[in-house]
Amino acid sequence: MPVDVLVIGGGFAGLAAGVALSERGCGVHLLDQKSYLGGRARSFLDPTTGSLVDNGQHIFMGCYHATIRLLSTIGTLDRVRFQERLTVHFLDRNGRLSRLECLDLPSPWHLLLGVIRSGSFTFREKLEVLRLGRSLRRQKESPDRLSVREWLCELGQSETLQRNFWDLLCIAALNEDPSIANAALFERVLRLALFTSPADSRLGIPRVGLSEVYVDAAADYIRAKGGQVECGRAVAGLLVSEGQCRGVRLSTGEQIEAESVVSAVPSFQLAALLPGEMLRREPYFAPVVFLRPAPIISINLWFDRAITDLEFAGLRGATFQWLFNKGKIFGLDENHVSLVLSGAHRYIASSKEDLLATALRELRDFFPEARKANLVHSLVIKERFATFSPTWEVEELRPTARTPVRGLYLAGDWTATGLPATIEGAVQSGYAAASAIMDDGRT
Ligand SMILES: Cc1cc2nc3c(=O)[nH]c(=O)nc-3n(C[C@H](O)[C@H](O)[C@H](O)COP(=O)(O)OP(=O)(O)OC[C@H]3O[C@@H](n4cnc5c(N)ncnc54)[C@H](O)[C@@H]3O)c2cc1C
């Protein structure tokens, strides 16, 4: 089949674009430079324990409509277990456990009454959350040029409520410190995730390794429709002449021509593919230079006994913000937990030994059982370029799918999705690129 569309990148964005185009009868050729697909959302076997390890715990949400559609199309939606209703446990350093559970009521009451009934908040904090909910319902306009911290203070959210609740949500959703993260983006996430419907508020946790959730099934889908998916094929540059993209040049020197090209690579990697002059002169491509990365650190720990029965919990006031009980989540007899430190700018240069020492100290503070447990094995994963840093300054620079170069389209979690860098943003961007190609009649 002739190549209608060449897709560069086999993460969620590229695979979503490939699936959507294949679904509509296009001949797709997808290339990834790595020996595996999945990009920043993948899993692998730990050689020491044989356990499946994600490059970092990924959480889905009921409001991930495009992602749910993608997984339904490729037949893997049942590999993500969605909660019946949003339920989150929080732990304090003294081991005190509290729970926020939404109710089966229309939005926003499902959340607001859940907050009122929860032991996670003082009476005063409950009033503050209600105030924020009321203001979200009344306010039609997004906060303009504010950080999350400034916005929450404007809405009368106390310092303790911010530290123990909003900061945990902000760092988890935006992977950035509230003092610099974009308030408009956070407000949008809150509206979509918490204030739309009980079904949208549910969390979804993969019950298999992340790659098994989508990688092979998406590649198989593209191949079954007549397309090609190849790993270990690095694109070195775009073939652009007279304002038109005609294909790509690989690092081997080989050229592949195509009617259209979708770049689904991270912003900083696109810079290397664009002709230098275009990068300098074309304002559309400016964010490729301006977006800054925000890191995530994950520590996987294997113990000789269970340290908690909880599936996951937010750790209030800790360096590592969330704990995931991988053995329990996967339904395996493994005492394997994963700790997550998002927005990890301050810690990314720390040694693995120091990070491990902090993680163990915190686990023993938060989980009394951890004091008796012996560490069997550990694995520290630093994702330096986990997401882009979502400050309000960069939001308007994020580019749409259609570029000024004919035949070239962009996808990726960093493009103009109106969402932070997430799976859902990546999938939406892949779908948007596919739609733009179809609308332009380029197949
Ligand atoms: C540790 C961690 C935890 C996260 N947690 C969550 C979470 O809980 N929920 C959530 O929704 N999101 C989460 N995210 C964000 C989510 O993983 C990303 O937003 C999403 O995976 C981005 O997908 P993408 O396809 O845009 O980019 P990528 O996954 O980066 O895919 C780009 C692909 O392009 C390939 N590529 C690059 N250059 C070339 C080239 N020259 N030639 C060929 N191929 C090339 C790369 O190898 C890569 O496979 C997390 C991210 C990390 C790192």
Side-chain angles (χ1 to χ4, degrees):
M1 188 186 283
V3 178
D4 294 330
V5 184
L6 192 133
V7 180
I8 316 169
F12 261 109
L15 287 168
V19 166
L21 288 160
S22 304
E23 219 175 349
R24 297 183 214 180
C26 297
V28 169
H29 190 168
L30 185 145
L31 304 172
D32 199 292
Q33 63 182 0
K34 298 271 172 63
S35 57
Y36 51 82
L37 298 169
R40 279 169 287 155
R42 66 182 185 285
S43 48
F44 56 91
L45 280 182
D46 172 57
T48 308
T49 57
S51 302
L52 261 179
V53 175
D54 294 337
N55 68 315
Q57 178 67 47
H58 280 63
I59 295 290
F60 294 61
M61 288 206 74
C63 61
Y64 278 22
H65 296 175
T67 309
I68 289 172
R69 183 178 135 203
L70 174 71
L71 300 187
S72 303
T73 305
I74 61 175
T76 57
L77 186 56
D78 61 347
R79 296 181 194 176
V80 178
R81 190 171 53 235
F82 282 92
Q83 300 174 322
E84 276 182 33
R85 60 188 77 84
L86 175 71
T87 308
V88 184
H89 288 94
F90 295 100
L91 267 166
D92 291 307
R93 205 172 273 277
N94 58 15
R96 184 178 160 271
L97 178 69
S98 60
R99 187 166 69 161
L100 169 63
E101 183 173 356
C102 285
L103 305 179
D104 290 324
L105 291 171
S107 177
W109 302 111
H110 73 299
L111 175 77
L112 296 180
L113 286 179
V115 167
I116 287 171
R117 282 165 42 128
S118 167
S120 303
F121 308 96
T122 62
F123 177 69
R124 194 184 131 185
E125 288 168 351
K126 289 176 185 178
L127 293 181
E128 291 171 12
V129 177
L130 291 181
R131 188 184 307 155
L132 184 135
R134 199 177 54 222
S135 126
L136 273 189
R137 281 172 63 208
R138 287 189 179 159
Q139 241 173 26
K140 296 284 170 258
E141 281 172 21
S142 302
D144 187 24
R145 300 177 170 229
L146 291 181
S147 70
V148 171
R149 177 76 68 237
E150 289 165 335
W151 181 63
L152 290 173
C153 288
E154 255 186 21
L155 294 178
Q157 307 296 292
S158 61
E159 197 254 324
T160 41
L161 180 61
Q162 292 193 35
R163 191 178 59 243
N164 287 331
F165 183 58
W166 295 123
D167 288 5
L168 279 172
L169 296 194
C170 171
I171 295 173
L174 273 65
N175 191 30
E176 193 48 277
D177 191 277
S179 61
I180 59 168
N182 179 2
L185 215 48
F186 187 53
E187 185 225 37
R188 189 164 159 70
V189 169
L190 291 186
R191 279 188 197 280
L192 292 172
L194 296 184
F195 289 94
T196 299
S197 74
D200 281 0
S201 299
R202 293 169 308 146
L203 298 178
I205 304 189
R207 53 187 189 80
V208 293
L210 204 43
S211 295
E212 280 182 65
V213 171
Y214 72 110
V215 162
D216 287 343
D220 288 348
Y221 185 95
I222 295 169
R223 291 187 185 113
K225 298 277 181 186
Q228 280 187 76
V229 178
E230 292 185 291
C231 291
R233 302 269 274 162
V235 171
L238 298 167
L239 301 175
V240 180
S241 57
E242 294 163 9
Q244 164 119 17
C245 183
R246 300 173 191 284
V248 299
R249 180 171 36 80
L250 303 188
S251 55
T252 54
E254 185 189 337
Q255 297 196 353
I256 304 179
E257 296 199 352
E259 276 294 309
S260 308
V261 173
V262 176
S263 164
V265 306
S267 52
F268 63 95
Q269 282 171 315
L270 176 62
L273 306 185
L274 290 168
E277 201 182 272
M278 190 176 290
L279 191 56
R280 282 190 297 277
R281 295 231 178 113
E282 180 50 70
Y284 170 91
F285 291 112
V288 170
V289 182
F290 286 119
L291 292 189
R292 292 276 168 262
I296 297 180
I297 299 172
S298 307
I299 299 201
N300 289 270
L301 301 163
W302 287 261
F303 290 101
D304 62 354
R305 70 192 73 186
I307 62 159
T308 176
D309 277 344
L310 295 172
E311 210 167 75
F312 71 98
L315 308 181
R316 291 171 145 182
T319 310
F320 287 86
Q321 300 108 0
W322 294 89
L323 169 124
F324 293 86
N325 186 345
K326 299 300 287 188
K328 181 152 185 167
I329 289 169
F330 288 165
L332 297 173
D333 188 21
E334 280 181 359
N335 300 313
H336 168 196
V337 299
S338 177
L339 284 164
V340 180
L341 198 176
S342 298
H345 300 283
R346 275 177 56 203
Y347 301 93
I348 199 70
S350 302
S351 71
K352 293 193 172 177
E353 291 72 23
D354 284 351
L355 289 167
L356 179 61
T358 305
L360 288 173
R361 203 172 48 244
E362 295 200 327
L363 270 190
R364 288 171 187 144
D365 284 351
F366 282 84
F367 299 92
E369 287 302 308
R371 292 172 206 158
K372 297 178 227 151
N374 295 308
L375 182 68
V376 177
H377 177 56
S378 65
L379 179 67
V380 179
I381 303 175
K382 292 183 179 182
E383 285 279 7
R384 288 188 160 72
F385 300 93
T387 66
F388 73 89
S389 172
T391 59
W392 62 257
E393 288 91 344
V394 301
E395 189 54 28
E396 60 199 33
L397 295 174
R398 294 170 71 186
T400 51
R402 207 175 263 113
T403 75
V405 181
R406 283 192 311 284
L408 177 64
Y409 298 82
L410 295 192
D413 60 356
W414 59 281
T415 58
T417 63
L419 296 173
T422 49
I423 291 170
E424 176 66 5
V427 174
Q428 283 188 15
S429 75
Y431 281 165
S435 294
I437 290 173
M438 300 306 288
D439 292 348
D440 291 350
R442 294 201 59 88
T443 58

